[in-house]
Amino acid sequence: MDIVDYLPTLGEGLVVSLQLTALSVVFGYALGLVFALGVTSVRPWLRWPALVVVEIGRGIPALVVLYIVYFGLPALGVLFENFVAAVLGLTFTAAAYSSEVFRAGIQSVPRGQIEASSALGLPRLTSFVRIVLPQGMRSAIPALMGLAIMSFQATSLAYSISVNELMSRAYQMSNITFEYLTVYLITGLIYAAIAVPATWLSVFVEHRLDRGAV
């Protein structure tokens, strides 16, 4: 087969991989921010449960999380279609890792600015939303972009629960054509074609932020 013959099938898989990435990053980062707020809370009944969940999420490999969601939860009567299970599993992993990025960003804001806002009479919530969070997000952006790239690469694990993403399509095609080297080389190049420019973009954004130009 000609290389061009592989592209339509692999392209369909790439679309699914990008969908998994977008959903897991959007929901994972939102949940990660919630976890970060819990971990940085002064209330122990919020801080400790959030910390336990985050550490478990960071400690369990993403593949194991996918297996728990897709193969394990049905034992409790909770069943998910494979794409939904992949989104949930990858979202949990993204949330656990992004929570630490958010936490570091929030804690990087100088304490003096928080004290100054308090001296001006700003409510704590207003101070957090208008002063702490924007600055914390600014410092967290490069790391969050890097984590998004890792999330894209992690979508290859979804083939293990029969999601027809890029890696799954490559596996199916290689088993039909027996041209394993060619198929997997093309697949690797497709991953690199997305991940490498995205990495360059994250480095560019980081440099711009360091210079205060963004």
Side-chain angles (χ1 to χ4, degrees):
M1 293 179 65
D2 191 87
I3 290 179
V4 177
D5 296 329
Y6 296 107
L7 297 182
T9 300
L10 294 178
E12 293 173 0
L14 176 60
V15 170
V16 176
S17 292
L18 292 175
Q19 291 173 341
L20 284 174
T21 303
L23 291 171
S24 63
V25 165
V26 170
F27 293 125
Y29 286 7
L31 186 58
L33 179 58
V34 173
F35 286 161
L37 295 177
V39 170
T40 56
S41 174
V42 296
R43 298 175 175 83
W45 60 272
L46 279 176
R47 183 172 66 253
W48 287 108
L51 183 61
V52 169
V53 171
V54 168
E55 290 304 314
I56 289 175
R58 296 174 65 206
I60 300 178
L63 181 60
V64 177
V65 175
L66 290 177
Y67 277 22
I68 290 173
V69 174
Y70 189 65
F71 296 113
L73 291 184
L76 303 177
V78 181
L79 287 80
F80 295 106
E81 184 264 339
N82 55 2
F83 182 85
V84 176
V87 171
L88 292 175
L90 294 174
T91 292
F92 179 69
T93 299
Y97 281 96
S98 66
S99 68
E100 287 297 284
V101 176
F102 285 120
R103 181 192 59 78
I106 291 171
Q107 293 182 340
S108 69
V109 179
R111 184 69 185 175
Q113 296 193 26
I114 302 174
E115 295 173 350
S117 66
S118 178
L120 291 173
L122 291 178
R124 178 176 294 180
L125 179 60
T126 301
S127 174
F128 177 80
V129 172
R130 302 189 63 177
I131 297 175
V132 177
L133 189 58
Q135 294 186 72
M137 286 293 296
R138 179 188 176 95
S139 62
I141 285 175
L144 291 175
M145 293 178 68
L147 182 57
I149 297 169
M150 294 177 62
S151 296
F152 167 66
Q153 294 171 332
T155 60
S156 62
L157 300 174
Y159 92 94
S160 63
I161 57 172
S162 303
V163 177
N164 281 323
E165 44 71 59
L166 180 55
M167 189 62 191
S168 179
R169 293 284 188 169
Y171 179 76
Q172 295 166 11
M173 181 172 292
S174 64
N175 281 341
I176 293 172
T177 63
F178 298 103
E179 297 182 4
Y180 297 99
L181 179 60
T182 302
V183 172
Y184 289 130
L185 278 176
I186 295 173
T187 303
L189 290 174
I190 292 174
Y191 278 113
I194 302 295
V196 172
T199 301
W200 292 343
L201 177 61
S202 67
V203 172
F204 172 77
V205 170
E206 183 176 10
H207 289 166
R208 295 276 290 180
L209 288 171
D210 287 342
R211 293 200 301 265
V214 174

